[in-house]
């Protein structure tokens, strides 16, 4: 058993540890079972971190198994993307990539076994009739007229279903359990449906496909899974999961444990809804940096470590329905990049500044640390020239009192360089500011000017040597915390029209070397990542990963302070 270093404790971890210590469990085997009908999202990351994390922590195995029982919605492209995402997150599955479809022969044999035991039958009711006969939460169901069919007839019909003698919906195979069970899942659930669909793994071999319930537990058992961890919506399926294991000659009996799914505010964690955004061209594919997909977050600039850290922070519980703040996810990536991203200067809204007392052709180069606390990072060479760009937001013609940046007649320090004073504002005929003319105080390199206090420091880029680049400013995709809260309304109405704003920016020359997916802090601006698709042939496109302001940490701090104060007051009252 390895030590608990990678992940925070939670109820499942504690339970498994107890089992191991009591000698009730040997080597543990978990699995991550995605359906290849879309890309993985941050909710899946929670499940991945949990399942792979447990295997890592207790020296067990975690399998990657595609739960591929619905060929109509599944695609090879999703299979490839899911594998890439799991690997990118830093996890390795034990053994080969597995597919539930690998077990179709065995599952079929087990279906025949149930028929022979009188525990399954072919039903001719239509899907609507089946629903009607099933009853409700308050009323028991009633048996299908086909429920008492003989074994031989059932076996024959099942075989003819398999080879495609019937049309879709004409017949199903059902378990024969209890039409009056208080748990609707036990009212003769469907085991096989007819589907004349070609399957990405098995081709045209099958005309019937097993249901999720008939597939999942048996696949777990065939793989020797010890702990089958899933989300809470499967809690009511657990008796059925166990019924199959009890009534089939399975090699081992895994145990199902449920936990609460992750819901994140200002976004959606449902593949179906994300697919709708992709299919309607509302976002730029499954890896659009605004999506909470793992590949979208990757393109946005998230690191695997930051996603794993976030999953540790949110923990694993059985408390359902909570919304986790996206600010917490932003916090996780921000603190990673704070420590690990090299710094650079970039001006998002360039305003030209001519430094009138710097001669034309003059150039000096500053050697600036790549990161204030990381000597291992390469030093940057930042050239200073007569013409530079500053950000439009760092200049105001009529500044309010506490504006410590540049204004007519005012001074400001250029980061890593001199103090300059704004002497003149040059405007176009229509009154738009075209450039500023400023003068440099050459006595201020690395020291304060004599007798004057210059509070503001702004970033800048040499106009001559700076590199043009496109910057994509991403924000929350939705304007409201829970876009799909109202089930009858259209969640698309809540899209944030400003979720992507693109600007033409100027960056310091060192950024020309940025490789796809390299991440930076643009000083005073935020954290950015070179786009993995667009940065080719010298084109520079940066995606904003996250801003600098940490609202989550701030709120945590305020809450801690308030708690402390409350406690003090309580103590005072007590005397
Ligand atoms: P979606 O509703 O987005 O399609 P799903 O549950 O149908 O999700 P699967 O591919 O079947 O997606 O899920 C694979 C695994 O990931 C399952 O074990 C599932 O419980 C887990 N999972 C899916 N969504 C979340 C979530 N939001 N939080 C935690 N785990 C999740
Ligand atoms: Mg699913």
């Amino acid at each position: 058993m390895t030590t608990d270093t990678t992940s925070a404790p939670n109820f499942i971890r504690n339970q498994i540890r107890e089992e191991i210590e009591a000698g009730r469990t040997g080597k543990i085997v978990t699995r991550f079972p995605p359906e290849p009908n879309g890309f993985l999202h941050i909710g899946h990351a929670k499940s991945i971190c949990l399942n792979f994390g447990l295997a890592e922590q207790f020296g067990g195995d975690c399998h990657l198994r595609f739960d591929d029982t619905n060929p109509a919605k599944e695609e090879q492209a999703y299979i490839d993307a899911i594998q890439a995402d799991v690997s990118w997150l830093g996890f390795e599955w034990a053994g080969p990539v597995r597919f539930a479809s690998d077990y179709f022969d065995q599952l079929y044999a087990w279906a025949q076994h149930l028929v022979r035991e009188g525990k399954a039958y072919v039903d001719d009711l239509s899907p609507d009739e089946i629903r009607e006969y099933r009853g409700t939460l308050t009323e028991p169901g009633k048996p299908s007229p086909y429920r008492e069919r003989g074994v031989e007839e059932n076996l024959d019909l099942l075989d003819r279903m398999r080879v495609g003698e019937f049309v879709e919906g004409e017949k199903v195979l059902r378990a024969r359990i209890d039409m009056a069970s208080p748990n609707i899942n036990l009212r003769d659930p469907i085991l096989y449906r007819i589907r004349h669909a070609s399957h990405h793994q098995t081709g045209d071999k099958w005309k019937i496909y097993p249901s999720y319930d008939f597939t999942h537990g048996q696949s777990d058992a065939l793989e020797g899974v010890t702990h089958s961890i899933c989300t809470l919506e499967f809690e009511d399926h657990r008796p059925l999961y166990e019924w199959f294991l009890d009534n089939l000659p399975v090699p081992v009996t895994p145990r199902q444990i449920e936990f609460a799914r992750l819901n994140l505010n200002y976004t959606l964690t449902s593949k179906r809804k994300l697919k709708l955004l992709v299919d309607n061209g509302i976002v730029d594919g499954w890896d659009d940096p605004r999506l909470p997909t793992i590949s979208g977050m990757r393109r946005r600039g998230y690191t695997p470590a930051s996603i794993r850290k976030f999953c540790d922070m949110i923990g694993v519980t059985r408390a359902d329905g909570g919304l986790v703040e996206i600010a917490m996810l932003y916090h996780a990536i921000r603190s990673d990049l704070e420590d690990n991203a090299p710094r650079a200067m970039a001006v998002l809204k360039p305003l030209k500044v001519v430094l009138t007392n710097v001669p034309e052709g003059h150039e000096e180069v500053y050697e600036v640390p790549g990161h204030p606390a990381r000597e291992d990072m390469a030093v940057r060479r930042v050239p200073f020239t007569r013409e530079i760009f500053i950000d439009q937001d760092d200049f105001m013609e009529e500044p309010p009192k506490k504006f410590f940046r540049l204004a007519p007649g005012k001074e400001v320090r250029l980061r890593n360089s001199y103090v300059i004073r704004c002497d003149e504002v040059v405007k176009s005929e229509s009154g738009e500011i075209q450039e500023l003319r400023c003068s440099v105080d050459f006595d201020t390199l690395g020291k304060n000017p004599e007798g004057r206090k210059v509070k503001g420091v702004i970033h800048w880029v040499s106009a001559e040597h700076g590199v043009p680049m496109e910057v994509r400013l991403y924000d929350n995709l939705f304007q409201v915390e829970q876009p799909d809260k109202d089930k009858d309304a259209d969640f698309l109405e809540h899209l944030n029209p400003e979720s992507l704003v693109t600007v033409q920016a100027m960056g310091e020359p060192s950024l020309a070397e940025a490789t796809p997916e390299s991440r930076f802090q643009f000083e005073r601006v935020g954290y950015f990542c070179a786009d993995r698709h667009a940065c080719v042939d010298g084109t520079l496109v940066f995606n904003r990963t996250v801003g600098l302001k940490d609202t989550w940490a701030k709120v945590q701090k305020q809450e801690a302070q308030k708690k402390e104060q409350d406690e003090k007051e309580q103590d005072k009252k007590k005397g």
Side-chain angles (χ1 to χ4, degrees), residues 86-242:
V86 174
S87 298
W88 179 77
L89 275 178
F91 296 109
E92 260 178 67
W93 49 88
V97 173
R98 294 157 215 256
F99 294 87
S101 54
D102 295 342
Y103 314 129
F104 280 177
D105 285 326
Q106 177 65 74
L107 290 171
Y108 186 74
W110 279 341
Q112 291 174 313
H113 173 89
L114 289 178
V115 170
R116 276 188 219 107
E117 303 265 299
K119 291 173 184 167
Y121 61 97
V122 172
D123 195 354
D124 295 3
L125 290 182
S126 70
D128 282 342
E129 287 166 329
I130 290 177
R131 213 168 299 128
E132 200 186 301
Y133 276 60
R134 188 172 286 140
T136 63
L137 284 174
T138 50
E139 282 169 51
K142 57 180 180 185
S144 160
Y146 304 96
R147 200 170 194 259
E148 303 305 328
R149 263 184 174 141
V151 168
E152 289 313 315
E153 188 188 355
N154 276 322
L155 284 175
D156 175 58
L157 288 172
L158 178 58
D159 200 49
R160 288 164 57 197
M161 282 167 64
R162 177 179 65 83
V163 296
E165 269 191 38
F166 306 112
V167 299
E168 293 191 6
E170 198 178 337
K171 294 187 188 329
V172 290
L173 182 75
R174 299 178 71 174
R176 196 160 174 276
I177 307 181
D178 179 4
M179 286 308 290
S181 170
N183 184 334
I184 293 185
N185 293 302
L186 295 178
R187 294 184 191 167
D188 292 9
I190 291 173
L191 309 186
Y192 273 94
R193 288 185 180 83
I194 298 170
R195 270 198 216 294
H196 294 256
S198 196
H199 187 284
H200 47 93
Q201 302 300 313
T202 57
D204 293 321
K205 178 173 175 188
W206 296 90
K207 305 296 177 210
I208 55 173
Y209 288 94
S211 62
Y212 168 86
D213 285 314
F214 189 62
T215 308
H216 203 84
Q218 289 88 299
S219 302
D220 285 342
L222 285 166
E223 292 182 5
V225 166
T226 53
H227 298 79
S228 179
I229 299 164
C230 61
T231 36
L232 276 171
E233 68 270 24
F234 293 104
E235 189 174 15
D236 291 344
H237 295 241
R238 190 181 344 130
L240 182 55
Y241 182 98
E242 290 170 353

Side-chain angles (χ1 to χ4, degrees), residues 431-541:
E432 254 174 85
I433 298 176
Q434 285 190 313
E435 64 177 46
L436 306 178
R437 299 181 81 79
C438 301
S439 47
V440 171
D441 182 343
F442 287 105
D443 210 22
T444 55
L445 192 62
K447 62 178 184 193
N448 274 325
E450 211 59 40
R452 319 190 297 280
K453 234 190 180 161
V454 178
K455 273 202 180 156
V457 180
I458 64 173
H459 60 283
W460 56 279
V461 167
S462 158
E464 193 181 325
H465 300 288
V467 289
M469 51 196 219
E470 179 178 310
V471 173
R472 300 176 182 165
L473 301 168
Y474 291 106
D475 200 351
N476 293 339
L477 188 52
F478 291 96
Q479 286 171 307
V480 298
E481 284 205 53
Q482 226 182 322
D484 55 354
K485 186 175 182 183
D486 181 352
K487 301 284 172 250
D488 302 321
D490 182 4
F491 64 85
L492 295 179
E493 279 171 21
H494 302 298
L495 282 168
N496 173 8
E498 313 243 293
S499 62
L500 169 58
V501 175
T502 301
V503 297
Q504 297 304 319
M506 290 296 285
E508 67 171 61
S510 72
L511 288 172
E513 312 298 320
T515 50
E517 289 196 83
S518 52
R519 306 170 180 89
F520 298 88
Q521 184 197 83
F522 292 167
E523 289 176 302
R524 300 183 63 238
V525 183
Y527 293 97
F528 292 80
C529 177
D531 190 85
R532 54 191 293 236
H533 303 320
C535 286
V536 282
D537 302 333
T539 306
L540 289 174
V541 175

Side-chain angles (χ1 to χ4, degrees), residues 293-306:
T293 51
I294 293 174
S295 52
M297 292 194 289
R298 172 179 180 175
R299 195 169 158 204
R300 172 98 166 233
Y302 282 79
T303 57
S306 66

Side-chain angles (χ1 to χ4, degrees), residues 49-113:
C49 289
L50 178 59
N51 279 296
F52 284 91
L54 287 167
E56 232 164 57
Q57 178 181 355
F58 295 112
D61 285 341
C62 181
H63 298 175
L64 174 63
R65 178 172 77 232
F66 288 99
D67 176 14
D68 56 345
T69 56
N70 185 0
K73 293 198 169 164
E74 297 163 6
E75 275 177 35
Q76 187 61 41
Y78 297 141
I79 293 174
D80 297 340
I82 290 171
Q83 290 182 47
D85 285 348
V86 174
S87 298
W88 179 77
L89 275 178
F91 296 109
E92 260 178 67
W93 49 88
V97 173
R98 294 157 215 256
F99 294 87
S101 54
D102 295 342
Y103 314 129
F104 280 177
D105 285 326
Q106 177 65 74
L107 290 171
Y108 186 74
W110 279 341
Q112 291 174 313
H113 173 89

Side-chain angles (χ1 to χ4, degrees), residues 310-524:
F310 170 73
C311 290
D312 258 4
M313 286 168 76
I314 57 175
V316 176
T317 69
R318 284 181 58 87
D320 206 6
L323 258 191
V324 171
E325 287 189 47
I326 200 163
M328 198 164 150
L329 181 60
Y330 293 155
H331 169 82
I333 181 60
R334 190 182 287 112
S335 50
D336 182 345
L337 296 180
E338 161 74 32
D339 294 344
N340 298 309
R343 280 27 177 180
M345 289 198 287
V347 171
L348 300 196
K349 286 191 275 173
L351 169 62
K352 194 179 210 186
V353 174
V354 179
L355 301 167
T356 51
N357 58 344
V358 174
E360 304 228 8
H362 173 89
E363 184 177 316
E364 50 193 281
V365 178
Y366 309 121
E367 303 230 314
V368 178
H371 186 286
R374 292 278 300 267
E375 278 168 20
D376 56 317
M377 283 190 190
V379 165
R380 298 138 53 198
R381 293 170 55 80
V382 177
F384 170 82
T385 51
R386 175 178 160 90
E387 295 192 355
I388 62 171
F389 290 112
I390 66 167
D391 199 286
Q392 286 167 23
D393 291 344
D394 284 332
F395 174 78
M396 275 183 100
E397 225 178 343
E398 288 163 42
K401 241 194 181 144
K402 291 213 165 158
F403 187 78
F404 297 120
R405 290 166 270 167
L406 199 58
K410 291 270 173 15
E411 287 185 316
V412 78
R413 175 175 291 280
L414 297 178
R415 186 155 172 80
N416 303 311
S417 179
Y418 300 106
V419 169
I420 62 170
R421 188 184 61 228
C422 177
D423 304 316
E424 192 189 339
V425 182
V426 181
K427 291 186 180 175
S428 67
E429 272 177 22
S430 60
E432 254 174 85
I433 298 176
Q434 285 190 313
E435 64 177 46
L436 306 178
R437 299 181 81 79
C438 301
S439 47
V440 171
D441 182 343
F442 287 105
D443 210 22
T444 55
L445 192 62
K447 62 178 184 193
N448 274 325
E450 211 59 40
R452 319 190 297 280
K453 234 190 180 161
V454 178
K455 273 202 180 156
V457 180
I458 64 173
H459 60 283
W460 56 279
V461 167
S462 158
E464 193 181 325
H465 300 288
V467 289
M469 51 196 219
E470 179 178 310
V471 173
R472 300 176 182 165
L473 301 168
Y474 291 106
D475 200 351
N476 293 339
L477 188 52
F478 291 96
Q479 286 171 307
V480 298
E481 284 205 53
Q482 226 182 322
D484 55 354
K485 186 175 182 183
D486 181 352
K487 301 284 172 250
D488 302 321
D490 182 4
F491 64 85
L492 295 179
E493 279 171 21
H494 302 298
L495 282 168
N496 173 8
E498 313 243 293
S499 62
L500 169 58
V501 175
T502 301
V503 297
Q504 297 304 319
M506 290 296 285
E508 67 171 61
S510 72
L511 288 172
E513 312 298 320
T515 50
E517 289 196 83
S518 52
R519 306 170 180 89
F520 298 88
Q521 184 197 83
F522 292 167
E523 289 176 302
R524 300 183 63 238

